Amino acid sequence: MNNERYIIKEPWYKKYARTGSTILSLLALCVFFTIATPDFLNAQNLMSIVRACSVTIIMTMGMLIVILTGGIDLSVGPIIAVVGVMLATMLVGGMQPWLAVLLALLLGCFMGLINGFFVSVFKLQAFLVTLATQTIFRGFSLLYTKGRPVPNVPSSFCSVVGGKLGGWLPMPVVIMIVSVIIFALVVKYMKVGVYAYAIGSNEEASRLSGIHVTKYKIYIYMIDGLLCALAAVTMLGRLGAAEPTAATGYELNAISACAIGGASLAGGKGSVMGAVIGALIMQVLTNGMTLLNVQSYYQQIVTGIVILIAVLIDRFMNRETK
């Protein structure tokens, strides 16, 4: 199924300028840091950048499909934390890794279902619903672990999920690449992805055209939860332990990546490539400033300025189509 009939038409130059400007921004940052520090452009550092943002990119995919509907999810960080501690507990308890991972993914879907149920059935604002579940989920992770980490995850699990494919390609990067490809196909060809654009473009028109908006919104939040759970699995494989406070603030990273990548927070516009590049821009910015020994509070200021510029650009480029 093609999604063109559901997306607001815009001039061709705007469609390509949005993605093109994001790619140029990433390249400009890479050139700048390559000139500024000799340690930036080497294979080890570049692989470190991709590996470091693998969890963020997986999570950003879930945030993107929610944003496409005009919604938001502030609970992605706590979902990762809850799934992480539950998965770690199951693995430490001796459960088969494949079964533990399957249950963890189902748990993520269930938590997404909770968000989708209140947003779609009760017609509550996504911001308020996910703000509430953010607190609930985080509180549950702290209550379940009594505020303590869950260590000693079996090395057999970590060596597979956090290891390297072929001795050089980190498995978190492999998981990220596969999930992005599958997600891109879902967004482009499956009803749930097509209808995400439709709902974000005009929810009432989508309902009148026969789309079951309530059902598909629930599906969309479940996909969001599933991807957060996959991010938790990837994170646990890398770290070998689960923290109840893990992924604090990650929801802001995901929203920022989508905004920098050209997704409209009003819904209906956004691309998988743009969101991935947006996440890479944030990671390159952080990595480069760290190599230059820029203090952390200056890094926060610069990151905030970049996000603000991205929002202003989005506003400018959408002005003629509104």
Side-chain angles (χ1 to χ4, degrees):
M1 176 177 284
N2 194 291
N3 60 8
E4 291 181 358
R5 60 177 289 199
Y6 293 109
I7 304 175
I8 294 176
K9 296 294 183 180
E10 58 181 341
W12 66 268
Y13 63 87
K14 284 191 174 183
K15 177 181 178 181
Y16 293 103
R18 182 176 289 109
T19 301
S21 63
T22 309
I23 294 174
L24 289 176
S25 299
L26 176 60
L27 292 176
L29 276 177
C30 292
V31 170
F32 172 78
F33 287 124
T34 299
I35 296 172
T37 171
D39 297 325
F40 179 80
L41 194 61
N42 64 68
Q44 184 177 357
N45 186 60
L46 294 178
M47 185 59 72
S48 175
I49 290 173
V50 177
R51 183 178 181 182
C53 68
S54 58
V55 171
T56 302
I57 288 176
I58 295 170
M59 174 187 61
T60 298
M61 295 300 98
M63 182 67 75
L64 175 63
I65 197 169
V66 171
I67 286 178
L68 287 176
T69 68
I72 204 79
D73 186 1
L74 301 179
S75 68
V76 292
I79 289 176
I80 291 174
V82 171
V83 173
V85 297
M86 295 297 290
L87 175 58
T89 302
M90 289 186 286
L91 291 170
V92 172
M95 184 177 290
Q96 289 291 325
W98 68 268
L99 179 58
V101 170
L102 176 60
L103 292 176
L105 296 177
L106 290 175
L107 175 60
C109 286
F110 176 72
M111 298 171 79
L113 171 64
I114 294 173
N115 285 333
F117 179 79
F118 284 101
V119 170
S120 60
V121 175
F122 289 100
K123 306 289 189 287
L124 300 178
Q125 292 184 0
F127 179 88
L128 298 177
V129 170
T130 58
L131 180 63
T133 55
Q134 176 192 59
T135 305
I136 294 169
F137 295 158
R138 182 69 70 184
F140 176 81
S141 68
L142 291 167
L143 179 65
Y144 179 77
T145 62
K146 298 181 180 178
R148 295 191 292 266
V150 183
N152 303 321
V153 173
S155 58
S156 58
F157 173 82
C158 297
S159 62
V160 173
V161 179
K164 293 184 178 181
L165 182 65
W168 67 277
L169 185 60
M171 279 303 298
V173 177
V174 175
I175 295 171
M176 179 265 291
I177 292 172
V178 172
S179 64
V180 167
I181 292 172
I182 294 174
F183 180 79
L185 294 174
V186 167
V187 167
K188 186 171 179 61
Y189 295 109
M190 293 187 67
K191 284 184 178 180
V192 67
V194 174
Y195 291 167
Y197 282 98
I199 294 168
S201 297
N202 192 320
E203 183 171 329
E204 185 59 28
S206 300
R207 184 176 287 107
L208 293 175
S209 67
I211 297 174
H212 198 311
V213 173
T214 299
K215 179 176 71 175
Y216 279 98
K217 269 193 173 183
I218 291 176
Y219 290 165
I220 285 164
Y221 278 91
M222 289 177 69
I223 291 173
D224 177 28
L226 174 66
L227 287 166
C228 288
L230 182 59
V233 173
T234 306
M235 178 184 289
L236 184 62
R238 282 186 57 196
L239 302 179
E243 291 275 357
T245 57
T248 299
Y250 275 34
E251 55 277 356
L252 300 181
N253 294 339
I255 295 169
S256 301
C258 292
I260 292 172
S264 174
L265 299 182
K269 292 180 183 178
S271 69
V272 175
M273 179 181 290
V276 171
I277 296 172
L280 287 172
I281 286 175
M282 292 189 64
Q283 188 59 43
V284 166
L285 195 61
T286 300
N287 178 270
M289 288 191 292
T290 300
L291 291 176
L292 292 173
N293 295 317
V294 177
Q295 294 178 326
S296 61
Y297 40 84
Y298 285 122
Q299 292 188 24
Q300 293 181 24
I301 293 172
V302 172
T303 302
I305 292 173
V306 170
I307 295 169
L308 182 59
I309 292 172
V311 173
L312 288 173
I313 292 173
D314 175 72
R315 175 69 174 177
F316 173 76
M317 296 187 70
N318 286 323
R319 185 165 54 188
E320 292 181 9
T321 59
K322 288 184 179 180

